[in-house]
């Protein structure tokens, strides 16, 4: 494992971690969600390593240990272009094996829009987990318009992230999680969703869309709708009954992880 600070497209330094697998069969870039950080994917990364995947992950700007104003974006493209730095790195460092991209929640928003903005990247496939692709549940779009962009709003996601009490408890105590997020972030995501709606048919990558049926933060309808609209010839969807938002931390996480690895195995 190695970690470092990597300069993004505009010079903002982002915290980056790479977990290299022995005799890797593939590589994967993981994109985390709102107010959290890459370290919450340690268990998943270990399972991926064990299955022969080299794992690349980073903290979004303004999140975790990365630079940038706390949980602030001036433009949704910052999310896509930051992610592109690590996709390019993974592809360049692994010229002989397939590279996949996975995003959870706001990270799912990121990889979904990424697939439209960067249609020609040499990615073997994209996986979404509880992806915010429409905001049917009003998580972001419910924020009042006209607030100061830098105004902090309370992070009330905690209890809804997972049905596992220990996960919820640690979510509130994790020093790298953010307790607030800015109005500017919400407005940037709303602008991204607006940009994305008419372009969903331009998403052509092989894709596995996953979601918890009882997700109270990002409504499962987001994934149904994106699945129906996506232009991918190779698209799969799996909805996990009774699971909350963070399917990678739920009681059935090993089943979810095995499904994701299995999907990638068929495409290596």
């Amino acid at each position: 494992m190695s970690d470092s600070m990597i300069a993004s497209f505009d010079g903002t330094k982002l915290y980056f971690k790479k977990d290299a697998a022995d005799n890797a069969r593939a590589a994967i870039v993981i994109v985390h969600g709102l107010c959290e950080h890459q370290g919450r994917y340690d268990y998943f990364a270990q399972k991926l390593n064990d299955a022969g995947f080299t794992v690349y992950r980073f903290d979004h700007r303004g999140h975790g240990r990365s630079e940038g104003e706390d949980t602030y974006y001036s433009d949704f493209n910052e999310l896509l272009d930051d992610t592109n730095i690590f996709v390019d790195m993974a592809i360049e460092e692994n010229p002989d094996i397939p590279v996949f991209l996975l995003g959870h929640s706001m990270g799912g928003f990121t990889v979904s829009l990424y697939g439209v903005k960067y249609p020609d990247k040499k990615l073997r496939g994209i996986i979404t987990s509880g992806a915010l692709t429409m905001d049917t549940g009003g998580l972001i779009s419910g924020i009042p318009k006209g607030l100061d962009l830098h105004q902090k709003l309370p992070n009330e996601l905690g209890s809804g992230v997972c049905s596992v009490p220990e996960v919820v408890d640690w979510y509130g105590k994790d020093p790298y999680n953010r307790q607030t997020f800015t109005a500017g972030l919400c407005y940037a995501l709303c602008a991204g969703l607006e940009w994305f709606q008419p372009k969903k048919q331009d998403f052509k990558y092989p894709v596995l869309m996953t979601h918890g049926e009882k997700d109270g933060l990002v409504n499962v309808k987001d994934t149904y709708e994106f699945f129906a609209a996506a232009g991918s010839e190779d698209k799969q969807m799996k909805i996990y009954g009774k699971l909350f938002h963070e399917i990678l931390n739920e009681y059935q996480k090993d089943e979810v992880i095995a499904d994701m690895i299995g999907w990638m195995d068929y495409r290596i």
Side-chain angles (χ1 to χ4, degrees):
M1 187 194 84
S2 65
D3 63 342
S4 56
M5 298 296 283
I6 303 286
S8 192
F9 65 94
D10 62 354
T12 302
K13 290 191 173 63
L14 304 178
Y15 179 79
F16 163 70
K17 187 178 283 184
K18 177 181 175 180
D19 303 276
D22 298 328
N23 305 312
R25 302 182 298 123
I28 183 168
V29 178
I30 295 176
V31 186
H32 73 75
L34 173 65
C35 291
E36 60 161 356
H37 62 100
Q38 58 73 33
R40 299 188 73 237
Y41 295 80
D42 286 348
Y43 182 85
F44 185 32
Q46 184 60 57
K47 291 287 188 185
L48 288 163
N49 277 172
D50 293 346
F53 291 79
T54 286
V55 180
Y56 292 75
R57 44 194 169 131
F58 66 99
D59 286 340
H60 287 299
R61 61 179 59 213
H63 287 72
R65 285 172 262 189
S66 289
E67 291 182 351
E69 181 182 338
D70 255 17
T71 60
Y72 175 75
Y73 296 108
S74 60
D75 186 310
F76 71 88
N77 283 290
E78 291 173 340
L79 283 149
L80 316 189
D81 299 344
D82 285 344
T83 298
N84 190 49
I85 295 292
F86 299 99
V87 169
D88 279 350
M89 182 193 297
I91 290 170
E92 194 175 310
E93 290 184 358
N94 301 278
D96 303 320
I97 57 175
V99 176
F100 294 89
L101 177 62
L102 178 146
H104 168 70
S105 194
M106 183 179 79
F109 161 97
T110 303
V111 303
S112 299
L113 275 64
Y114 183 93
V116 172
K117 181 171 182 179
Y118 292 101
D120 301 321
K121 291 290 169 181
K122 297 178 177 64
L123 288 168
R124 190 62 59 90
I126 292 177
I127 299 175
T128 68
S129 159
L132 182 82
T133 52
M134 198 172 178
D135 199 20
T136 317
L139 179 69
I140 298 295
S141 56
I143 304 301
K145 301 292 179 272
L147 298 177
D148 180 274
L149 296 180
H150 306 280
Q151 182 173 332
K152 296 280 200 340
L153 305 163
N155 173 10
E156 294 169 343
L157 308 179
S159 59
V161 295
C162 195
S163 70
V164 182
E166 296 82 359
V167 173
V168 174
D169 183 53
W170 179 242
Y171 182 90
K173 295 175 180 174
D174 189 330
Y176 292 115
N177 279 352
R178 295 297 196 267
Q179 302 305 318
T180 58
F181 52 93
T182 63
L185 177 147
C186 297
Y187 298 155
L189 294 187
C190 285
L193 291 174
E194 202 173 304
W195 175 86
F196 186 53
Q197 296 319 308
K199 295 180 168 63
K200 286 178 179 173
Q201 70 272 15
D202 298 331
F203 184 100
K204 301 287 177 65
Y205 286 99
V207 63
L208 170 64
M209 301 181 190
T210 64
H211 217 116
E213 179 209 6
K214 299 293 187 196
D215 190 331
L217 301 179
V218 178
N219 194 296
V220 68
K221 289 177 185 167
D222 278 32
T223 288
Y224 287 140
E225 203 276 338
F226 181 29
F227 184 80
S232 310
E233 286 182 19
D234 174 7
K235 56 180 176 178
Q236 305 289 333
M237 174 172 62
K238 183 149 188 186
I239 309 302
Y240 294 89
K242 296 185 180 175
L243 298 200
F244 281 27
H245 185 51
E246 292 188 350
I247 57 175
L248 289 164
N249 285 326
E250 281 283 0
Y251 291 109
Q252 290 94 328
K253 63 186 176 186
D254 287 339
E255 179 190 348
V256 173
I257 291 169
D259 286 343
M260 291 175 173
I261 289 171
W263 182 84
M264 290 188 285
D265 279 341
Y266 277 112
R267 286 155 185 82
I268 289 175

